[in-house]
Amino acid sequence: MSENENLTEKDTEVVSKNFIEQIIEKDLAEGVYDTVHTRFPPEPNGYLHIGHAKSILLNYGLAKEYGGKFNMRFDDTNPTKERIEFVESIKKDIQWLGADWEDRLFFASNYFEQMYEAAVKLIKKGKAYVSDLSAEQIREYRGTLTEPGKDDPNCNRSVEENLKLFEDMKNGVYQDGEKVLRARIDMSSPNINMRDPVIYRVAHMTHHNTGDTWCIYPMYDFAHPIEDAIEGITHSICTLEFEDHRPLYDWVVRELEYPHPPKQIEFAKLYLTNVVTGKRYIKKLVEEGIVDGWDDPRLVSIAALRRRGFTPRSIQKFVELCGVSKSNSSVDYAMLEYCIREDLKLSKPRMMAVLDPIKLVIDNYPEDQVEMLDVSNNLENEALGTRKVPFGRELYIDREDFMEEPPKKYFRLFPGNEVRLMNAYFVTCTSFVKDETGKVTEVHCTYDPETKCGTGFTGRKVKGTIHWVPAAQAVKAEVRLYENIIDEEKGVYNEDGSLNLNPNSLTVLKDCYVEPALADAKAYDSFQFVRQGFFCVDAKDSKEDALVFNRIVSLKSSYTLPK
Ligand code: ATP
Ligand code: MG
């Protein structure tokens, strides 16, 4: 079965509704909601990665599918970790992926006033109280999975006293950790999240958006449902680790009496084999200078994938193939590679590039002659047209396409053997030159003018076809080859807990030659280099007169889509 048929088969499978679509359709049918409104709520504390792409495209896709809306919201309620630098990178990445929030870009920190009012409302209902317990005492009182918790000594304070204390908290009367506001729920609940969770804490910190206006900040489990309710979110999609928090989410929206309470739905995170996705690890690699920033092409941050040459379409396809599920599992990195290959195969021109050059001299070709050969850009997609490639007496070929003493079944160049120069003529190797170290520096051959490509020559056949670039007109370039940065076969971690890095994750080839047609290639332009893979112009290091190409992916793989 070809890869194409395989893909179509999988596509039809994906068409059946996932469990979130089923919930939404039921809600719409039963009139629980009359619209679909989703959001993507990142904390601006790092760059987004492929896992976030899944969440973004899922939320955006559902809104689009049901004619609803998609909000972009920075969940910036925690002043300790957030940095404004990340806000810009996150926006850029989401736009690039194609998820359009239109005019709905929000910051949770703009709701601090409403969150404060919500807390006051709970206090007035007798559903929240100010506690004097320290963080450690709260932990002690909380109980365990098998033992119920103990009541907070302050849980019976009067509404008036709680209101006064909470206002004092807001007005800076207390130091960090001196007082907290707790929801009054149930200290003996089997779900520990429901044992009077802390919903507000004192933190004398400057916030990137609200500055020093606040010295109390809401906890995530309290803030998030309020943010959703304020924005009219219907389906609040998050990952599995929040499943146990859902009763608290529901409690908050119920006690605050929102007329159209949002609903939390959890799905399994996307994990990829052989790569690091955890923000913690990526940060370590970046900070220790092991990689070249958050967009190092070996990473799977969205910025890195973009720089490496992945397209939004390939990531959309990948996310689609992953599907949405309730159980954790990891996806083979090869599936992501499959998606980019499929996307580029027919859409990109196929050019010739020589990564490890060795000179080929055609001794019987006229010295000053240059022929402009007509070459198809992509034989499988004629719409990409043709280009001219100059051909002359001196060419570069790849070192591995010549052998002095070939093994069996080696059909490329060796003394006495005839091969086809792709898009040009048949040549027969006549001799070669070595330097004093024994390294081959030049290969000599003769060509047969009768065998020109495109003239219908059928006189004889050759077994090998090799690519080349014209020595006089070729453009020098740097090419970077990548392998996964973590070698999973050898284990992700070393015994001492450090990451077990693949020493071959980056290979830099400085003396490559590419066809002259590539001289004008711009950042993010991508091409197939025949027999080598798909390559993209590096947006960070490539210069007009010093091209740098990243290998996105090799041409072939034994990977087939899972059934
Ligand atoms: P942190 O450890 O800082 O919380 P995070 O990766 O959870 O990191 P958030 O900014 O909180 O980062 O995530 C934003 C959204 O992306 C959340 O809704 C989260 O559930 C979702 N998300 C994060 N990682 C993945 C993943 N691997 N697969 C799918 N969704 C993810
Ligand atoms: Mg998070």
Side-chain angles (χ1 to χ4, degrees), residues 39-56 58-59 75 81 90 220 224 237-242 267-272 277-280:
R39 86 286 173 264
F40 177 67
E43 262 182 272
N45 65 354
Y47 280 70
L48 299 181
H49 56 63
I50 184 81
H52 296 112
K54 174 163 184 177
S55 178
I56 293 160
L58 174 65
N59 279 290
D75 203 340
K81 294 188 291 182
I90 289 173
Y220 179 88
H224 205 84
I237 297 165
C238 63
T239 41
L240 279 187
E241 71 272 23
F242 289 100
F267 74 102
K269 273 193 174 178
L270 169 64
Y271 294 100
L272 268 184
T277 52
K279 267 180 208 169
R280 223 153 30 103

Side-chain angles (χ1 to χ4, degrees), residues 360 401-407 410-419 427-434 440 442-446:
L360 179 73
D401 286 336
F402 170 80
M403 282 186 103
E404 185 181 348
E405 289 168 26
Y410 184 87
F411 300 119
R412 292 170 267 170
L413 269 186
F414 55 87
N417 193 43
E418 186 172 49
V419 299
V427 291
T428 304
C429 178
T430 51
S431 64
F432 57 94
V433 181
K434 276 184 179 177
V440 175
E442 223 172 78
V443 176
H444 287 258
C445 65
T446 53

Side-chain angles (χ1 to χ4, degrees), residues 3-4 7 10-11 14 50 272 305 309-323 331-347 534 552-555 557 559-562:
E3 280 186 333
N4 256 334
L7 184 64
K10 187 78 191 176
D11 277 349
V14 170
I50 184 81
L272 268 184
L305 291 169
F310 281 82
T311 57
R313 221 170 35 185
S314 65
I315 296 174
Q316 287 157 13
K317 184 83 222 167
F318 173 70
V319 164
E320 218 174 275
L321 289 176
C322 288
V331 175
D332 197 332
Y333 182 82
M335 189 157 108
L336 184 59
E337 296 190 313
Y338 167 85
C339 292
I340 186 67
R341 256 187 223 112
E342 285 297 303
D343 189 28
L344 301 181
K345 205 162 67 179
L346 299 182
S347 63
F534 293 100
I552 311 167
V553 67
S554 61
L555 284 182
S557 130
Y559 180 79
T560 48
L561 284 176

Side-chain angles (χ1 to χ4, degrees), residues 246-504:
R246 190 182 343 132
L248 180 52
Y249 185 101
D250 291 341
W251 184 92
V252 171
V253 294
R254 189 170 62 244
E255 291 301 338
L256 292 172
E257 300 163 46
Y258 289 109
H260 303 289
K263 170 184 279 192
Q264 176 179 303
I265 303 172
E266 311 85 19
F267 74 102
K269 273 193 174 178
L270 169 64
Y271 294 100
L272 268 184
T273 57
N274 285 46
V275 294
V276 261
T277 52
K279 267 180 208 169
R280 223 153 30 103
Y281 299 123
I282 295 182
K283 204 154 171 248
K284 197 170 139 89
L285 294 173
V286 172
E287 278 166 5
E288 290 181 11
I290 296 167
V291 296
D292 169 32
W294 289 86
D295 59 358
D296 184 290
R298 289 166 291 179
L299 300 175
V300 287
S301 60
I302 296 177
L305 291 169
R306 177 169 60 231
R307 182 173 165 199
R308 174 103 173 234
F310 281 82
T311 57
R313 221 170 35 185
S314 65
I315 296 174
Q316 287 157 13
K317 184 83 222 167
F318 173 70
V319 164
E320 218 174 275
L321 289 176
C322 288
V324 185
S325 108
K326 266 265 184 204
S327 55
N328 281 318
S329 64
S330 49
V331 175
D332 197 332
Y333 182 82
M335 189 157 108
L336 184 59
E337 296 190 313
Y338 167 85
C339 292
I340 186 67
R341 256 187 223 112
E342 285 297 303
D343 189 28
L344 301 181
K345 205 162 67 179
L346 299 182
S347 63
K348 297 296 170 184
R350 298 174 180 180
M351 318 290 276
M352 295 190 284
V354 171
L355 304 193
D356 185 6
I358 173 171
K359 195 167 261 184
L360 179 73
V361 183
I362 307 171
D363 292 313
N364 62 338
Y365 194 87
E367 209 147 321
D368 304 321
Q369 185 170 310
V370 176
E371 277 178 82
M372 295 304 284
L373 304 175
D374 275 314
V375 174
S376 163
N377 284 329
N378 188 326
L379 281 173
E380 292 178 65
N381 178 8
E382 286 192 359
L384 292 184
T386 62
R387 67 182 186 281
K388 299 272 186 203
V389 184
F391 181 85
R393 187 170 190 267
E394 297 198 350
L395 312 172
Y396 288 115
I397 60 168
D398 251 307
R399 184 166 292 279
E400 61 172 32
D401 286 336
F402 170 80
M403 282 186 103
E404 185 181 348
E405 289 168 26
K408 270 204 178 107
K409 300 210 169 157
Y410 184 87
F411 300 119
R412 292 170 267 170
L413 269 186
F414 55 87
N417 193 43
E418 186 172 49
V419 299
R420 181 201 310 273
L421 290 177
M422 193 176 282
N423 307 308
Y425 298 94
F426 287 10
V427 291
T428 304
C429 178
T430 51
S431 64
F432 57 94
V433 181
K434 276 184 179 177
D435 67 10
E436 58 281 5
T437 67
K439 194 175 167 192
V440 175
T441 53
E442 223 172 78
V443 176
H444 287 258
C445 65
T446 53
Y447 87 118
D448 176 355
E450 301 289 299
T451 59
K452 187 171 181 178
C453 178
T455 58
F457 173 76
T458 52
R460 61 185 182 277
K461 286 200 164 107
V462 286
K463 280 195 168 148
T465 299
I466 65 174
H467 63 278
W468 52 274
V469 293
Q473 298 86 352
V475 177
K476 207 156 187 192
E478 176 177 322
V479 170
R480 298 174 182 171
L481 307 179
Y482 302 102
E483 286 179 19
N484 287 332
I485 196 160
I486 300 286
D487 191 337
E488 205 185 32
E489 265 173 40
K490 299 200 183 107
V492 173
Y493 299 101
N494 295 313
E495 267 171 26
D496 64 358
S498 59
L499 287 169
N500 182 15
L501 302 173
N502 172 4
N504 302 319

